[in-house]
Amino acid sequence: EPEVTQTPSHQVTQMGQEVILRCVPISNHLYFYWYRQILGQKVEFLVSFYNNEISEKSEIFDDQFSVERPDGSNFTLKIRSTKLEDSAMYFCASSEYGTGGASGYGYTFGSGTRLTVV
Amino acid sequence: AQTVTQSQPEMSVQEAETVTLSCTYDTSESDYYLFWYKQPPSRQMILVIRQEAYKQQNATENRFSVNFQKAAKSFSLKISDSQLGDAAMYFCAYRSGAGTYKYIFGTGTRLKVLA
């Protein structure tokens, strides 16, 4: 069964450093997402991406965050200057369909990248 | 704003028994979708079952079924004949049908399956 692949599985970074989290969505999917889960808390939406642009973002997704699809297969989340509170599990997801009547099909999530900011 | 509440942080069930995980949500919308996701120790979030709000019939996927009570805004997950592999964190999620990509998740219920 097709999978969403995320690398690395765990990353430790110094506060203030830039970090790039990488994802390879399912090949025929057109919609891409990032979610995060702070330890012991809810999974929260960060951003959705379609047709090489952000289609929706949450209030969490401020100027320190950016997303990119640098080539035909990868989808990245960059955090420019990491803070301690950015420590979380970051999940990438993809879907074949977007909003509207196809919303019910659900996403395929990756296994996540655990980011630890020290 | 929509919210999703899972009031059971942890549940246990004997192997081969049945367990029900609770989820309630709050919304003023009429068009939406509800999901249960499973997160085993491998961490990948796996879609277990989904329900369209406009469908009265409860969704079923093999040993997994839901009890969708739209008026009560309740969406519980029943796991029948529980297996050791069912042990995981289970998340209830809401998605509006009104042109948003965003899922709203509950805090999760950790399910332990006892041999």
Side-chain angles (χ1 to χ4, degrees), chain B residues 45-74:
Chain B
M45 302 257 285
I46 302 164
L47 179 63
V48 175
I49 199 165
R50 61 174 184 258
Q51 174 81 43
E52 293 90 338
Y54 62 85
K55 288 188 176 178
Q56 292 190 341
Q57 187 173 7
N58 289 324
T60 299
E61 288 286 340
N62 301 313
R63 298 183 294 108
F64 298 87
S65 61
V66 297
N67 183 7
F68 174 47
Q69 302 287 329
K70 191 171 183 179
K73 296 179 183 172
S74 169

Side-chain angles (χ1 to χ4, degrees), chain A residues 35 56 91 98 104 106-107, chain B residues 37 39 44 50 95 100-101 103:
Chain A
Y35 282 75
E56 187 177 0
F91 291 100
Y107 302 161
Chain B
Y37 276 88
Q39 187 182 38
Q44 186 172 9
R50 61 174 184 258
R95 182 174 174 184
T100 176
Y101 298 91
Y103 278 4

Side-chain angles (χ1 to χ4, degrees), chain A residues 1-2 21 43 49-50 54 61-62 69 73 75 83 100 104 116:
Chain A
E1 190 165 331
L21 309 183
V43 178
F49 191 84
Y50 169 70
I54 291 173
F61 193 87
D62 60 22
R69 189 155 163 83
S73 60
F75 179 52
K83 305 175 214 171
T116 302

